[in-house]
Every structure is written in C-alpha cells, then in structure tokens.
Amino acid sequence: MKTLIYMTILMVNFWFTANAHIATANPDTILGKWQNDDGRIIEFTKNQTAYDAFIVDAPDKKLIRAKQISGLVFDGNQYNNGTLYLIKKQKKVSCYAKIINDNILVITANNNYFSKSQTWHKVQ
C-alpha cells in the first residue's frame, strides 16, 4: 500500500513538472503586454531571435513609445543578455527575465554589485 501511495505521488509530481516545463518552454510566451510596479504597460515584441519591450501606456505620457528593454535572448529556461533602460536615471543596465507562469514575469536588473527584481503582471 505504501508503495502504491509513493508511486502515485511520484507520478503526480512528474505530471506537474512536465506540464510546467512545457508551458514555459515556448520563448514567445513573453510576447504581449505586461504591467510593472510603476503602473506602466510594457509590450514585448520579437526582434529576430531576441525580444524588446516598449512602453505603450504610462502615467507620464512622455514615456510612451520609449524602449524599456532590448536584446533578451531565451536560453530554454529564462531570457538573458538584455539591456534595461532606466529612463529616469538616464542609464542602461544588464537584465534578465524569467516567466513564473503565464501571468507573472520577474525582471532582474544588474548594476555592478547590485541587483533588483520587479514582478510584472500580464495584461489581458
């Protein structure tokens, strides 16, 4: 009986793990509109084999059409080698992104010794 319970748990875990991998293996999952913590709506587009993101709506309307991220490349697990434009600071920093599920994207910016992550939510 214990073996049957163990095997059932193992199979359920395998099923969830396999399905989670299938859901995140599509690099185009990042395409579309996402909202950041500042209330901006950012739209990811495909640029050959990389992904760029542009501001399409923001409380400060002067920011609309500004490029927020460029050059993210999907490696099978996450998006790497990107550049994040810190518009208010007039600065560029490296970044990477990871999709947690179809509705949550975590962007992490790296500036020398410091890094900061922000959670973005898919806009339906």
Side-chain angles (χ1 to χ4, degrees), residues 13-116:
N13 283 337
F14 173 76
W15 185 84
F16 279 118
T17 303
N19 283 330
H21 177 70
I22 290 167
T24 59
N26 180 359
D28 289 346
T29 303
I30 199 168
L31 294 175
K33 296 178 182 175
W34 300 83
Q35 184 168 17
N36 72 6
D37 292 346
D38 298 332
R40 294 181 194 150
I41 306 293
I42 295 98
E43 184 171 12
F44 279 91
T45 60
K46 195 167 188 175
N47 182 1
Q48 296 177 357
T49 60
Y51 297 88
D52 298 337
F54 297 87
I55 298 171
V56 294
D57 194 16
D60 182 353
K61 299 302 180 196
K62 293 182 283 186
L63 298 177
I64 294 176
R65 289 190 285 280
K67 186 181 277 189
Q68 186 77 66
I69 295 175
S70 66
L72 284 174
V73 178
F74 190 68
D75 72 0
N77 185 35
Q78 67 182 19
Y79 302 83
N80 293 307
N81 303 324
T83 301
L84 174 68
Y85 301 97
L86 301 172
I87 296 168
K88 292 179 184 177
K89 294 183 179 185
Q90 300 280 312
K91 198 175 188 181
K92 296 177 185 178
V93 296
S94 64
C95 71
Y96 64 91
K98 184 163 181 100
I99 293 181
I100 305 303
N101 63 42
D102 289 343
N103 297 313
I104 297 176
L105 174 67
V106 176
I107 304 286
T108 302
N110 296 306
N111 185 14
N112 296 326
Y113 303 106
F114 303 101
S115 68
K116 181 179 178 183

